[in-house]
Amino acid sequence: MFRDLWYKNAVIYCLSVGTYMDGNGDGIGDFRGLMRRLDYLEGLGITAIWLMPFQPSPFRDDGYDVADYYGVDSRHGTLGDFVEFTYAANQRGIRIIIDLAVNHTSNEHAWFQQARRDPASKYRNWYVWSKKRPKSASLGMVFRGVQKSTWSCDEVAKAWYFHRFYDFQPDLNTSNPEVQEEILRIMGFWIQLGVSGFRLDAVPFLIETKGATVRKTTRQYSMLRTFREFLQWRHGDAIMLAEANVLPESSIQYLGKDGSRMHMLFNFQVNQHLFHALAVSDCRYLVECLNAIKLRHPTSQWAMFLRNHDELDLARLSVEQRKTVFAAFGPEPEMQLYERGIRRRLAPMLGGDRRRMELVQSLLFTLPGTPILRYGDELGMGDDLSLPERNCCRTPMQWSHERNGGFTEAESPILPMISGEPYGYEHVNVAQQRRDPNSFLNWTERIIRMRKEVPEVGWGNFSCIDCGDPAVLAMRYEWRGRSAVFMHNLASSKRQVTLTLDLPLEAGRVLTNILSDDHSRAEDSGAHRIALEPYGYRWYRVG
C-alpha cells in the first residue's frame, strides 16, 4: 500500500550549491562542480539531496530572496546544467529536493518592481500594502535586533509594504488565488525538470492572513492540501517538507489528520530538547517530547536534524533551559544570535570530542523520522565566528589539503575557507578521511548504511523504555514483526542499566548488536544488564 513512500526510510543530505564545489574556477560553487561530487555522495549512502536556493537572487539572504523562480542563478550555471545534474543524480538513485521560498520575494523581483511602479498592475495585489504605517509595524519581527519593523515605506509606490523578514523581502499576498496558482506553476515547472520534492520555507507565515487591517491572523491550512493535491497529480511520489517551528499539538494541522497536507515536518521541538538533554545528561524532558510527537497517519513523517543553515533555535525551551544550553554549547556572546539561538557548527559545539560526535549522529539516525545530514558534518567541519550572523556555519566544503580545500582554484572563494587548527581544511577534509579507515567520515558512511538496514526507525511504532537512569535514552521500534532497540548514554561517565522488554521471555532472550559483536543475553528473569561507556550507544535487533 505504501511502497512509494520513499521518504520514510530516506537519508537526506542538505547542501548549498554555492559552497559545495566550484566547477569553473570563479570561486562560487555550481552544478558542474556538484555533478563531480555525486559519486562521493552516492558512496556516502545518502538517498536524497536537499538543495538550498539556487535561483537568480541578489543573495542578500543566502538566496532566500528570490528574484526569478524559473531560472538558475548564472553563478551556479544554467537550467541545462541543472537538468543534467538531476538526471545524473537520479541515475545513482539519488532524489532531489529543492527549497521553495514563496512566502516572500526579493524586492528586485520583476513582480515587485511592477507592483511598486503601477497601482493598476495585477502584481500590485500580489503583495501586501498599506497607505500609511500600520500600528502593528513594530510587532511580529523574526530577526529582532536586526529588523526594526515589519512594514517599510516604498518611495516609488508611495505606500507601505509588509515584510515578515528583512525589508528587502516583501511578502507575497498568499491569500490571493492568483498567487496560489503561480506557486503551483512554479512547483510544476521544477517537477518537469526532475525534482522529487520541495522544502517549503517559513510555512506558518506562508499560509497566514496578512494585511494592515488584519487584527488577528489565521492560518489557511487548506492551502497545504491544495499544494498536496497538485503535487500528487503531477508526480505521484513527490513530497513536501515543511519548515514549521510549531508545538507538537499544532503539527497535525500541517500534516493533516488523514495525511493529506504536508508529507514531512521538521521537528524543532525534539531538536531543541535533544541539545538540552545533552547539556544536562538527562533525557527526561526529551522523552516527554518524544511521547508527544507520535504520528497519527502512516504517510506522515518527521524530519530529524541536528544542525542546519540557520542558528540552533532554542526559542521553544524555557528561559532556564535556554541558559543551560547556551552555557554548554555557546557560552560566548559571539556564539549566540538574537538571544535565542547558537550560531555554531556541530563539531565545535561538542568540543571536537569524537565520542560525543558519534553519540549525536547515532541519535540523529535512530530518532523517529527521517534523518537530515548537514554538509560537512560527516567530516566534523568547524565554523568561522568572525563571519557575520549565520555565514559562520556556511563556509565551503573541505575536500582536500590543497589550496582552498580543493573547493575552488580561484584566489577568493565565495566565503573564506576555514584554515588552521583544529578545524581548518588542512586537517579536516574528505581526501584525508577517505584514506583513514577509522575516520569520522568512514564511521558516518557505515552508520548510514546500517540505518538503511533498520527500516523500523522510519516506518515503525516507537516507545521509550525506562531503564532506571535518566542519562540513558532507550527506545524500541516495532514494524512488521521486527523489533529494534537503541540505547544512548548522554553522560560523561560509565552507566550500568537494566533493560526489560515487554516480550515473551524467549523472544527477548538475545539482543544482537548491529554495530559490533557486543551482544546481550538476558538473565533468567528476562532482564538485560547493559554497561554503556561514557557517551556510549548500542543498536540492537531483538531476537
Side-chain angles (χ1 to χ4, degrees), residues 29-185:
D30 47 48
F31 283 107
R32 289 285 176 183
L34 182 51
M35 272 191 291
R36 285 168 44 190
R37 299 305 185 186
L38 279 174
D39 290 331
Y40 164 77
L41 293 172
E42 181 185 18
L44 186 60
I46 61 100
T47 60
I49 299 172
W50 159 25
L51 297 177
M52 293 172 62
F54 55 82
Q55 291 91 350
S57 167
F59 283 92
R60 296 180 67 185
D61 185 23
D62 208 35
Y64 284 93
D65 48 334
V66 179
D68 177 8
Y69 289 102
Y70 296 97
V72 171
D73 193 279
S74 60
R75 290 175 285 188
H76 302 322
T78 65
L79 275 174
D81 292 335
F82 177 81
V83 172
E84 188 177 355
F85 161 72
T86 59
Y87 180 77
N90 290 333
Q91 278 188 316
R92 292 166 171 81
I94 299 174
R95 297 174 185 262
I96 303 302
I97 299 169
I98 69 170
D99 251 303
L100 188 63
V102 288
N103 173 68
H104 48 261
T105 70
S106 165
N107 59 1
E108 297 183 23
H109 198 294
W111 300 341
F112 186 73
Q113 290 300 313
Q114 291 188 49
R116 68 198 290 254
R117 287 196 300 264
D118 183 4
S121 166
K122 77 168 186 175
Y123 295 112
R124 187 74 165 203
N125 291 327
W126 283 35
Y127 294 89
V128 185
W129 300 92
S130 176
K131 291 182 180 178
K132 59 182 182 180
R133 187 179 190 270
K135 294 180 180 179
S136 61
S138 60
L139 302 176
M141 291 173 290
V142 175
F143 303 131
R144 292 189 176 277
V146 178
Q147 269 180 285
K148 296 181 179 179
S149 174
T150 54
W151 290 84
S152 292
C153 185
D154 184 78
E155 295 180 358
V156 175
K158 293 182 171 48
W160 295 74
Y161 65 89
F162 178 67
H163 52 90
R164 176 67 75 174
F165 294 87
Y166 297 111
D167 59 3
F168 54 80
Q169 293 171 316
D171 269 40
L172 284 166
N173 178 15
T174 48
S175 297
N176 185 335
E178 289 186 1
V179 172
Q180 293 182 27
E181 288 178 13
E182 188 66 25
I183 292 172
L184 298 180
R185 193 173 294 116

Side-chain angles (χ1 to χ4, degrees), residues 419-430:
S419 181
E421 294 280 2
Y423 299 106
Y425 67 84
E426 304 92 341
H427 317 286
V428 178
N429 62 70
V430 172

Side-chain angles (χ1 to χ4, degrees), residues 5 18 66 68 74 106 155 166 187 189-190 205 215 235 262 277 312 336 340 357 407 417 464 477 487 542:
L5 306 185
V66 179
D68 177 8
S74 60
S106 165
E155 295 180 358
Y166 297 111
M187 293 170 67
F189 175 83
W190 292 105
F205 301 134
R215 293 185 178 180
H235 197 297
M262 297 289 98
L312 172 61
Q336 303 170 13
R340 73 173 193 194
M357 290 165 62
F407 164 72
M417 300 295 302
C464 296
Y477 291 84
M487 304 182 70
V542 179

